[in-house]
Amino acid sequence: MLFTQMYGWMSGFAAIPMYLYNGKRGRGNKKLFYWFYPAHVYVLYGISWVMQIF
């Protein structure tokens, strides 16, 4: 129940990186996120599909 219905306490963990953000744009591969997002959505869909079968 702690992770499924009363999950508001987890938002406290998001405050840590927001507090540490210095306002500068970080280095990174911009194209990485263009393929990572759709890929991980398909992977999560596949996992949920397999879990429903078994």
Side-chain angles (χ1 to χ4, degrees):
M1 187 166 134
L2 184 63
F3 292 106
T4 58
Q5 294 176 357
M6 298 171 40
Y7 49 82
W9 62 271
M10 289 187 273
S11 63
F13 292 117
I16 297 169
M18 288 190 292
Y19 178 73
L20 296 174
Y21 178 62
N22 62 3
K24 295 182 181 177
R25 195 170 183 178
R27 301 180 323 191
N29 189 356
K30 186 177 177 182
K31 293 184 181 182
L32 171 72
F33 295 103
Y34 284 112
W35 68 266
F36 174 75
Y37 180 76
H40 95 276
V41 169
Y42 286 126
V43 167
L44 292 175
Y45 174 74
I47 291 171
S48 69
W49 184 70
V50 169
M51 289 177 69
Q52 287 179 357
I53 291 175
F54 298 108

